Amino acid sequence: MKNKVLHLIQAVDNGGCENMMLRTLPLLSDFEHIIITLHHPGELSEQFKQKNIPIINIGQKNVFDFFSYARLLKEVKRNKPDIIITYLFHADMIGRLFLGIITKNKIIPFLRTTYNHKKYLVARLFEKITKNLVQRYIANSESVKNFYVNNIGVKKENISIINNGIDVKFYEKIRKDENLQKELGIRKGEQIIVCVANLHINKGHQYLLKAFEINYKNNPNIKLLLVGDGKEKINLKKQIDNYSSKNNVLFLGKRNDVPKILKISDIFVLPTLFEGMSNAIMEAMASGLPIATTDIPENREILNEKNSCLFKTSNANDTADKIAFLLSNPELRSILKESSLRTIRNNFDINIIKKKFSNLLDRLIKE
């Protein structure tokens, strides 16, 4: 009989964490997986079901919906998991303060990001207060692990690292789609800059838009594709109202054809202020795109000066300089493309991560 792993998350919407789960869990076939969503099933729920991973939705209205806790407890007792992995703040909180205490199940938070922003003060406080309720953690990068060791006070030996993984072969098979280019109004010879990220303040889009405006004044033959949605969309559109480049900035929203969009682009830019381990960067690397992104510890785990252009955080001028340098140097773009593809293939291919994750789950269950 297979060991049973229960995964607790607010919803399996189309985000980095959820897509990581969708890529990885079906490959861990030595275990039986069940996902419990707290709020709603989510955009990716049908894809999980197609891969024979059931989704159980609790339908929690808010944290004070006490009946939802009874439903959650009932499902946990019915499924009798060997281990419970929680993802993101809401599920982490309920996993530790409710399931860990009431059921005595082994709760393993899967840490996905650092909380290096003032808006996350509550989350940081929660992590410090509840750290003694958790015996083991999983982190998706060395930077996230270091954050929890240095800022939260978690012992480093209690955190195991499982990086995000990418199906490199899948991205290598994608071909340029001329119909997509026509749909987006991309003209022949136009240079395409793409950014894939939720429109949140920590992703730094405001600096990318300024950088694009600077470059556009010298090179109007460029177009910026912003893939993703979020609370900052209104502010970002307002920001470019008086920009000469505004008609060359496309807000594409959430898309199901991101691999195809990457394939018709010339460079990938992510001006993020902090990360865990960026799925978007890894997907762009697997797509053979030269990368320009912020010089932060999280990105340094997969990037360096030999496979990317790194620029200062919150600095539109430096961002603009690096973008211009890449666009004007096709030989460099080719070198960075090959180097980043080699990095992702040799270190972060999904099959490499699968083996590490499977071995870790075995150890955690046996402890």
Side-chain angles (χ1 to χ4, degrees):
M1 184 179 292
K2 295 180 180 180
N3 286 313
K4 191 175 291 187
V5 183
L6 191 152
H7 305 268
L8 185 68
I9 191 168
Q10 187 161 357
V12 283
D13 285 321
N14 193 10
C17 173
E18 297 87 343
N19 275 289
M20 179 280 300
M21 294 169 67
L22 185 60
R23 286 195 300 267
T24 309
L25 299 189
L27 298 178
L28 300 171
S29 54
D30 291 340
F31 305 89
E32 181 181 349
H33 300 281
I34 300 161
I35 296 176
I36 291 184
T37 56
L38 295 167
H39 186 261
H40 61 279
E43 302 162 64
L44 302 180
S45 59
E46 288 303 317
Q47 294 186 53
F48 278 100
K49 291 176 184 177
Q50 289 169 11
K51 295 178 182 293
N52 297 316
I53 297 178
I55 303 283
I56 301 169
N57 181 46
I58 300 303
Q60 187 177 65
K61 298 174 183 177
N62 53 59
V63 293
F64 302 108
D65 180 3
F66 298 111
F67 291 108
S68 68
Y69 293 103
R71 294 192 294 272
L72 175 59
L73 187 59
K74 179 181 177 181
E75 290 298 338
V76 171
K77 288 184 175 180
R78 182 174 69 86
N79 284 285
K80 299 178 181 177
D82 294 285
I83 194 171
I84 298 175
I85 301 178
T86 62
Y87 302 83
L88 308 178
F89 178 74
H90 190 62
D92 284 347
M93 179 174 64
I94 290 175
R96 294 178 212 183
L97 297 179
F98 180 64
L99 291 180
I101 294 173
I102 300 297
T103 70
K104 304 299 182 182
N105 277 99
K106 191 179 294 183
I107 307 295
I108 311 291
F110 200 137
L111 310 174
R112 307 292 307 168
T113 189
T114 59
Y115 289 119
N116 281 323
H117 193 279
K118 60 184 179 181
K119 76 173 185 175
Y120 293 121
L121 289 177
V122 173
R124 290 178 70 158
L125 181 61
F126 163 76
E127 292 288 355
K128 287 183 178 181
I129 292 173
T130 63
K131 71 176 187 290
N132 291 328
L133 298 176
V134 180
Q135 302 303 313
R136 293 295 302 270
Y137 294 83
I138 303 172
N140 71 343
S141 71
E142 192 71 39
S143 297
V144 171
K145 177 177 179 176
N146 290 339
F147 174 85
Y148 273 78
V149 171
N150 298 327
N151 296 281
I152 306 301
V154 178
K155 294 179 180 179
K156 62 181 180 180
E157 59 267 25
N158 290 343
I159 306 178
S160 302
I161 295 178
I162 297 295
N163 298 128
N164 296 340
I166 292 294
D167 186 350
V168 178
K169 289 183 179 179
F170 169 79
Y171 285 90
E172 288 178 335
K173 292 176 183 177
I174 303 295
R175 296 290 177 260
K176 277 192 176 182
D177 187 335
E178 292 183 1
N179 291 327
L180 179 59
Q181 290 176 305
K182 290 178 182 178
E183 174 196 328
L184 299 179
I186 295 173
R187 302 187 305 272
K188 188 175 181 180
E190 208 168 25
Q191 291 184 299
I192 306 303
I193 303 163
V194 64
C195 175
V196 181
N198 290 323
L199 304 183
H200 296 163
I201 191 72
N202 60 292
K203 295 300 182 181
H205 290 89
Q206 63 271 34
Y207 305 106
L208 175 56
L209 290 174
K210 289 180 184 177
F212 184 75
E213 172 72 0
I214 292 169
N215 276 297
Y216 181 81
K217 289 178 178 178
N218 298 315
N219 177 14
N221 196 39
I222 57 176
K223 185 164 283 182
L224 175 61
L225 309 181
L226 298 179
V227 182
D229 210 346
K231 297 177 181 178
E232 284 297 299
K233 185 174 183 177
I234 294 174
N235 292 333
L236 294 172
K237 284 194 168 185
K238 191 179 296 183
Q239 177 184 334
I240 65 172
D241 264 348
N242 297 317
Y243 282 9
S244 58
S245 61
K246 68 177 182 180
N247 291 329
N248 278 37
V249 178
L250 303 186
F251 288 84
L252 301 183
K254 291 185 177 181
R255 302 279 298 208
N256 295 320
D257 57 351
V258 172
K260 290 185 177 181
I261 292 174
L262 293 173
K263 195 60 73 170
I264 63 171
S265 302
D266 294 290
I267 67 171
F268 177 90
V269 182
L270 185 67
T272 182
L273 307 184
F274 60 90
E275 282 289 329
M277 173 169 274
S278 172
N279 280 294
I281 288 177
M282 298 173 80
E283 289 167 3
M285 293 170 74
S287 298
L289 278 179
I291 310 295
T293 189
T294 42
D295 190 359
I296 57 176
E298 298 94 313
N299 290 339
R300 280 275 181 179
E301 290 191 41
I302 51 177
L303 298 171
N304 53 51
E305 287 79 2
K306 294 181 179 180
N307 63 10
S308 64
C309 275
L310 300 173
F311 51 81
K312 299 172 186 175
T313 57
S314 309
N315 191 317
N317 289 324
D318 193 36
T319 305
D321 288 344
K322 295 302 192 298
I323 290 174
F325 185 56
L326 269 181
L327 290 176
S328 63
N329 197 327
E331 185 177 343
L332 175 63
R333 294 202 303 271
S334 181
I335 292 171
L336 295 182
K337 166 185 172 179
E338 293 302 322
S339 181
S340 64
L341 186 55
R342 190 162 51 248
T343 298
I344 207 79
R345 186 187 292 124
N346 293 342
N347 299 286
F348 302 102
D349 183 80
I350 192 67
N351 291 303
I352 296 173
I353 304 306
K354 167 201 165 184
K355 292 178 183 177
K356 292 180 179 178
F357 204 170
S358 182
N359 291 337
L360 177 61
L361 287 177
D362 269 332
R363 292 201 308 272
L364 292 175
I365 289 170
K366 290 174 182 176
E367 283 182 354

